[in-house]
Amino acid sequence: MSVVTRFAPSPTGYLHLGHAFSAFTAWRRARDAGGRFLLRLEDIDPSRCRPEYAAAIQEDLSWLGIDWDGPVRVQSEHLDDYRCVLSILRERGLLYPCFCTRTDIAREIAASAAAPHAPDGSPVYPGMCRDLSADERAARIAAGERFALRLHARRALDGPLSFEEEREGAIVCDPAAFGDVVLARKDAPASYHLCATHDDALQGVTLVTRGEDLREATHLHRLLQALMGWPVPRYAHHRLLTDPSGRRLAKRDRAATIRDLRASGTSAAAVRAMLT
Ligand code: GLU
């Protein structure tokens, strides 16, 4: 089977060395194997993504000599695909509307003795909207109350799941640890988890390379694959680049952006050498 990898940045800022490392890793894996390397813009969050960043990412990758195969997939142009997945899951009773605000959730957590956290550090949703009656849901929706859609984790889980992490072998998943995650937000049509997993399947990605900060999310992605019958790629989560003090590079660190390196006269070859 030929290798298909992808780089899937969210256009919320300029590309920094950490992203370039991710892109380079995926690109190298595809090119070394004579496979395909895809570029996907994960821009479904309208409050954070900007078209100028999307354009800048493509320009910076091209400057680095990282080329991609086929058209760029822009997630905001495919919202119907994600809505379709949501409606399938909803019809199967695996999603429920959640009307809670952040404040409601924080208050409930503060009042309860246990406050479990998901592996990604976010608090687990205490479940206030999980068992609302059909009548109450319908009435609140009819009254125009805004809602997110959450996965009913207990119903969704059906038997053990695992995924293949390149260096470590099979990893047994624990998606229940995330609780009832949001798959469609009040202010964005679908979540990162849903869109990324859908697109990896649609685009025939066989090897997902990405930073180890997303390693835990893979447990959830594996559950979505099982629910939707999507193929399961292999995973290679790579280490994150840090600054000399050991702090993870982030979009706020302007000095590490590819644009600034270029503006300061650093050559593309020198940046690529840094990445290897
Ligand atoms: N869009 C995600 C990000 O920029 C990466 C998604 C992925 O590689 O799965 O953090």
Side-chain angles (χ1 to χ4, degrees):
M1 188 171 61
S2 101
V3 174
V4 181
T5 67
R6 63 14 168 225
F7 175 52
S10 300
T12 56
Y14 292 114
L15 213 62
H16 61 60
L17 271 176
H19 303 120
F21 179 64
S22 237
F24 189 72
T25 304
W27 176 79
R28 201 54 285 159
R29 290 298 301 266
R31 295 288 173 255
D32 283 353
R36 304 183 73 228
F37 169 71
L38 311 176
L39 176 62
R40 183 165 84 220
L41 294 169
E42 301 203 324
D43 63 342
I44 34 151
D45 182 346
S47 64
R48 296 179 61 230
C49 299
R50 302 230 303 254
E52 58 268 36
Y53 292 135
I57 287 170
Q58 296 175 68
E59 195 184 298
D60 290 347
L61 288 175
S62 299
W63 178 74
L64 282 167
I66 296 177
D67 60 336
W68 53 90
D69 299 305
V72 177
R73 180 167 171 95
V74 180
Q75 288 189 329
S76 60
E77 293 170 4
H78 300 280
L79 299 183
D80 281 347
D81 288 5
Y82 313 124
R83 286 194 191 107
C84 177
V85 179
L86 288 167
S87 71
I88 291 171
L89 294 173
R90 211 168 166 182
E91 262 162 41
R92 285 161 57 190
L94 297 176
L95 300 184
Y96 63 84
C98 173
F99 305 93
C100 294
T101 60
R102 277 174 206 274
T103 318
D104 295 333
I105 296 173
R107 200 180 301 125
E108 183 74 15
I109 288 173
S112 71
H117 278 70
D120 63 3
S122 57
V124 170
Y125 176 63
M128 296 90 87
C129 286
R130 188 186 300 127
D131 299 315
L132 298 182
S133 68
D135 285 351
E136 177 168 358
R137 282 180 183 152
R140 290 175 77 166
I141 292 171
E145 237 187 285
R146 297 173 72 219
F147 59 95
L149 289 172
R150 287 187 181 273
L151 182 68
H152 194 307
R154 243 190 353 248
R155 275 192 205 151
L157 288 165
D158 181 22
L161 293 171
S162 63
F163 65 90
E164 205 58 28
E165 169 69 52
E166 204 169 57
R167 275 167 307 172
E168 295 157 59
I171 306 275
V172 176
C173 296
D174 184 17
F178 287 85
D180 293 353
V181 288
V182 168
L183 291 189
R185 284 183 6 200
K186 286 181 182 174
D187 58 351
S191 74
Y192 152 67
H193 301 299
L194 182 108
C195 301
T197 315
H198 169 275
D199 286 357
D200 285 340
L202 180 83
Q203 296 185 284
V205 172
T206 63
L207 173 68
V208 172
T209 62
R210 61 183 171 204
E212 64 191 6
D213 55 329
L214 288 170
R215 191 177 195 277
E216 298 302 334
T218 305
H219 293 233
L220 201 54
H221 298 183
R222 182 65 191 86
L223 174 60
L224 293 174
Q225 287 155 356
L227 291 174
M228 294 302 298
W230 290 328
V232 185
R234 283 162 65 78
Y235 289 87
H237 294 97
H238 60 73
R239 70 193 167 80
L240 300 176
L241 294 196
T242 54
D243 67 14
S245 66
R247 230 171 43 122
R248 181 182 150 189
L249 296 183
K251 284 177 181 158
R252 60 179 176 271
D253 298 320
R254 293 265 312 147
T257 68
I258 302 303
R259 328 227 96 195
D260 289 348
L261 287 165
R262 175 158 52 145
S264 69
T266 312
S267 71
V271 177
R272 278 172 63 147
M274 287 179 209
L275 300 177
T276 52

